[in-house]
Each structure stands twice: as C-alpha cells, then as structure tokens.
Amino acid sequence: MRIRTAVAVSAVPAAAAALLLTAPPSQAAGPVQPATCARKVLAVRAEAAAADRTVVRVSVTNHGTRACLVDRVPTVTFGDLDGVALPVPATSGGTYALHVGRTAYADVRTISDPKDPEARRVPGIGVSASAYQWGRSFTAARLGTGREVVVWEPVTTWWQPTAAAADRAIGLS
C-alpha cells in the first residue's frame, strides 16, 4: 500500500508539471497583466492648485478599451532644465494599473519656497504618464501659474486614485 500511495502522490506533481508545460504561456504564468498604455489612449491634463500655485495637479485618463499600465509616477520636466520631479516617497520604479475610463491623479510641488534665490523660472512644464512616452507640454499661462513656473528641487506624488489622495500625499490637505 505504501508504494502505491507514494506513486500516486508523486504522479500528481508530475501531471501538474506536464499541464503547465503544455499550457499556453498566458495560462501557465497565471493571470495576464495588462499591457503598457499606448500614448494615443491617454489624456494628460495639468493645472496649478488654486490654494497653492507651487503645486501643479496632473491627471491621466485611459480612453482605451482595456486596462493598461503607466509608470508608478508621472514624468514631469521643466522647460529646458535637466532632470525631472523626484517621486515622494522615493521609488525605483513600478507600474500603476489604469482601468478603462478611469483617471489617476498626482500632485507636483515645483518649489518649497518661491523666494529661494536658487529658484529657476521656466515658461512651462512637460508631463508624461510614462518615461518612455512623449508627453504633453503646458505653458505657465495654461497651468495658471502666471508668466512662468518657479522651480527648484521639484517633487511629485505617485499616481493616486483621487485628486484628494494626491493632495494629501503632497501635504495640501
């Protein structure tokens, strides 16, 4: 009896392995992850927060027919300056799932003290949902920051499910 039990028990893992090896990769690996969002299905928006003009609210909406992935944080650039807004909290990467018709929100603090003598002034910013995609440019006037955007050591939140959550993450509420 013990031999049959041992053979039956060892046959189960072997059968499972055989099924996994013959199954299509999508079934063998478990649930399929959404694909990266195509730029053409995304709508990117940005505007300065009324309560604090050093904070720019950005959003991205998925107008596609499937859920897709964007970077965990938006890529925000400032005029012709080198670099991007750094994520707070810090992250080494990752993705954010954006479901059909849904919008994700992030806040960007362009400068902590607009009177800082190190501050730079740029005519606008660039915002992208993912670093590997071209984004959208926004002039200072369109953002509502006046004639320029004041910037020094900018930071951005991760994508959030609501604008209120992005505001809390940057310290607006």
Side-chain angles (χ1 to χ4, degrees), residues 49 155 168:
V155 295
R168 281 191 302 276

Side-chain angles (χ1 to χ4, degrees), residues 57-116:
R57 291 182 171 135
V58 298
S59 65
V60 61
T61 303
N62 178 359
H63 291 293
T65 58
R66 299 176 186 192
C68 57
L69 300 174
V70 295
D71 286 352
R72 183 178 291 171
V73 296
T75 299
V76 183
T77 58
F78 299 87
D80 61 356
L81 300 177
D82 289 340
V84 296
L86 297 176
V88 174
T91 181
S92 60
T95 57
Y96 183 90
L98 194 55
H99 298 282
V100 175
R102 299 301 297 262
T103 300
Y105 304 86
D107 281 0
V108 181
R109 183 170 301 282
T110 63
I111 189 168
S112 58
D113 178 8
K115 293 181 173 114
D116 187 329

Side-chain angles (χ1 to χ4, degrees), residues 24-53:
S26 62
Q27 290 177 356
V32 176
Q33 291 294 321
T36 301
C37 294
R39 182 176 178 254
K40 66 183 180 181
V41 303
L42 301 177
V44 177
R45 294 181 181 81
E47 67 179 341
D52 184 347
R53 295 292 177 190

